[in-house]
Amino acid sequence: MPSSLHAPLSGEVSAFSLSCPYFRCQDSTGEDLGRFPSPLPFLMCLLLFFPFRARWPRLMSSEKPGESPKPQKMAQPGGSQKKETSRSVPVTDPTSHNSEINQRDQQFSDMHLADLQKVFEKEADENGALKKEGFIRIMKGVLSSMSEEMLELLFLKVDSDCNGFVTWQKYVDYMMREFQGKEEMRKSQYRLRFHLPMTVIPLHHGSEVVKVACLTKRFKKMGRFLTVTKDGILQFWSETFSMLESFHLSQSKQYGHQQMWVIDVAYLHNMSLIAVASTELKIEFFDIGGYKCIRAFTVIDLDSCVMVMDYWTDCHKAVFCYGDTKGNATIFISDNVAGGLFNPQILPRASKWDHWFTVSLKKLLNEKAPLYRSFRMKGLHPNWCQQVKYIPQLNVVASCSAVEKSSLVLIILPGKEPEKPRLSSLNLRKGILCFDYCPDRNFLATGGYDPHIRLWNPLVSKKPVWLMKGHQTSVTHLLVNSRNASILISISRDKNIRVWDLQDYVCLQSFCGKLFPLGNCPITSTYFYRSSTLICSTYNIGILRGYLESQGPLKTGRMTTHNTPLCAVLYSKIFKQVVSGCLQGLVSVWDISTGKKRMEIPVSGIQESELTAMALDQSERCLLTGLRDGTMQMWNYNTGECLMTFPNPDRVEISGIVHMNKVFYTTGWSKRITNFT
């Protein structure tokens, strides 16, 4: 039985001794370039040992919508983003998250970190140690707004081994480890997790769904959905997908006429209209206000069949665009949404005897109107368009096709009337079937017959900047989460659904298509509802619900702080923090004054053994954890660092831990008490 244990604590570890995570790199052809160290420790060393001021991170803040994107933003996909750059100095205020940001700015605007090191070492003794009184005096000169009580708590956090002094290396090591822990926690808070089974809504009309959309009113989702099938059936659904109304879009069949097939649908939410493109070489607009379906007007005289459409508006400006089978793209821009392009009163009629308005496309393109502008881009692709979309952050319309040349074309819209659109294209051997844009990271994600997902810089279109592998068949749908731009959802032809983390470029989840009872047909339409629910359609409708990792799955309508039952809840009087741990092996540290999570620590190890016991040490600065496999560890729960691992001769479950009189006592299924001194 062990009677003594001595291990170095975190204060004696150099700032350069941090574990350096690795990631794998691949070039644009998919060749593996090997394992490279994560840039996080290197960036932190640059920030710590080169003089800088707090104004520098502000200059590197993320771009606002409407500003021109910066090319250097995409230079290092694995590096920290600009939003993260402003967070690269670790937090040191133990009481409030809001105040710690202001104090962090003050800490490095009044004095360079290099100057702080000189003052620190000047006040320290011959061994480089600085006691509590000297530490508080120095930091008071830097952080004048912080009280002595808060600085004393900071000293106790740095001096986790209870030696009564701190060194410059211990202080730097604490800051770096705290930053690393908070960065990992911040990432996990935005990671989306879907859970099975998928809810399937059977449809009995025998035709695949072309479009699924959520009804909105004044840019707020109403919790109502609409679906349009290939044979022209429009249906309204409640939030639980109970059918409300059903309409048939096609006119009464005439003798000798072929069946109309719907190809694509665009939802003009601010006008309560839907645009329906069909095989009849026309675009029909229906008024769906009040869950009705009334034909409003029809655009005729199309020279080719419309394949894809898109509509965007910010309640002031509106853009409607479509692509056809000849590779042409047609764009309409209205600067007056209320009385602009889609007001039937200003549209030129084809015949005054029509029962409803019919509008000639040629007249729309040829006539100059004060309320809208139009552009006809002929021959963008040698084949038909697969997707078209307006990207407001770049003020471009993007169109893609499954061809090698001009696989994706960016149509840069002019700001003034006399100017014409400019084009920028990228080429890919097997073409592009789908794409989406990530505004926070300035990424264009593309998928095609090649089952790889590529990330492109819109300003540099020769080679992709990142390649993500995983799908086995062609990628048909890509969705970037509008609220959380770090999440990308991809769907392939075999109904394989994958969730990607765009911060680490890894696949978080993958669901085989055989798990979804949606039939043999590929997924035809998708919609991401409220950033947590994925709605897919084939001949039926499938609903896959998800949750953020930080929230856990919702049970009985209530939000939980952990995904599994709690093991223990502890309270630290000196730090005024609550420490909670669950059986899954995840420990969370909460600020009692604000209720915010300060740190999240996985303690279960590689084997993912359950957490069975928790206790604070006598000083309340360290956390002791015991696992079902008999592992007992000591943690600095303010930084997430494992200080030591105790010997584990029995390898049986630990059920209790106590620290008193500088002795650690543990017991469990070994049926005896073990002490460590």
Side-chain angles (χ1 to χ4, degrees), residues 19-86:
S19 61
C20 185
Y22 287 82
F23 63 93
R24 303 198 70 84
C25 276
Q26 296 172 337
D27 61 7
S28 59
T29 63
E31 184 179 357
D32 196 352
L33 301 180
R35 297 169 72 242
F36 291 82
S38 170
L40 176 61
F42 174 72
L43 294 176
M44 286 301 302
C45 293
L46 289 179
L47 295 174
L48 288 169
F49 294 102
F50 284 85
F52 69 102
R53 293 189 178 274
R55 298 182 185 90
W56 181 74
R58 295 193 186 106
L59 294 176
M60 298 293 291
S61 60
S62 59
E63 297 172 357
K64 298 179 180 179
E67 295 179 353
S68 60
K70 304 295 187 294
Q72 59 267 28
K73 185 173 183 181
M74 295 288 292
Q76 298 179 357
S80 60
Q81 295 298 317
K82 298 177 181 178
K83 218 184 293 182
E84 300 169 6
T85 304
S86 62

Side-chain angles (χ1 to χ4, degrees), residues 227-239:
T227 60
V228 180
T229 60
K230 184 178 179 180
D231 56 358
I233 296 178
L234 167 67
Q235 292 176 318
F236 294 99
W237 305 84
S238 67
E239 191 169 13

Side-chain angles (χ1 to χ4, degrees), residues 307-465:
M307 298 299 299
V308 287
M309 297 185 293
D310 182 61
Y311 178 76
W312 172 91
T313 183
D314 60 357
C315 206
H316 301 288
K317 176 183 176 181
V319 178
F320 177 78
C321 52
Y322 68 85
D324 56 28
T325 53
K326 293 183 178 180
N328 305 325
T330 305
I331 306 168
F332 293 96
I333 305 174
S334 175
D335 295 322
N336 185 348
V337 173
L341 175 64
F342 301 107
N343 185 349
Q345 302 299 326
I346 69 168
L347 295 173
R349 295 190 188 187
S351 173
K352 63 180 180 179
W353 303 109
D354 289 341
H355 296 289
W356 55 79
F357 290 99
T358 55
V359 183
S360 172
L361 177 65
K362 295 180 181 179
K363 290 185 178 181
L364 282 177
L365 295 174
N366 295 331
E367 293 182 0
K368 292 186 178 181
L371 296 179
Y372 68 89
R373 293 176 291 160
S374 61
F375 302 100
R376 174 82 164 172
M377 313 302 298
K378 292 186 177 181
L380 287 181
H381 314 285
N383 205 338
W384 63 44
C385 297
Q386 296 286 345
Q387 183 182 351
V388 64
K389 184 176 182 178
Y390 175 68
I391 303 174
Q393 294 84 359
L394 304 178
N395 193 31
V396 303
V397 172
S399 174
C400 69
S401 181
V403 292
E404 181 176 357
K405 293 185 177 181
S406 302
S407 303
L408 189 142
V409 178
L410 299 179
I411 307 170
I412 306 172
L413 301 179
K416 298 179 181 179
E417 179 66 31
E419 300 177 0
K420 295 183 178 181
R422 294 178 290 118
L423 302 180
S424 174
S425 63
L426 57 89
N427 305 324
L428 196 61
R429 188 170 64 90
K430 293 186 177 182
I432 294 174
L433 296 176
C434 58
F435 65 89
D436 204 356
Y437 178 68
C438 177
D440 284 2
R441 301 180 181 277
N442 197 26
F443 279 168
L444 266 174
T446 64
Y449 288 121
D450 181 357
H452 304 322
I453 299 172
R454 290 171 171 83
L455 302 180
W456 305 78
N457 183 350
L459 302 179
V460 182
S461 58
K462 291 185 178 180
K463 290 184 178 181
V465 296

Side-chain angles (χ1 to χ4, degrees), residues 253-270:
K253 293 185 179 180
Q254 299 180 9
Y255 181 75
H257 281 217
Q258 295 182 350
Q259 169 71 33
M260 179 198 76
W261 297 113
V262 175
I263 300 176
D264 196 19
V265 178
Y267 176 38
L268 288 63
H269 53 87
N270 64 307

Side-chain angles (χ1 to χ4, degrees), residues 469-471 488-490 496-500 507 509-511:
K469 295 182 178 182
H471 287 288
L488 173 69
I489 299 174
S490 61
N496 176 214
I497 298 177
R498 288 179 174 262
V499 183
W500 303 86
C507 181
Q509 279 185 300
S510 177
F511 297 99

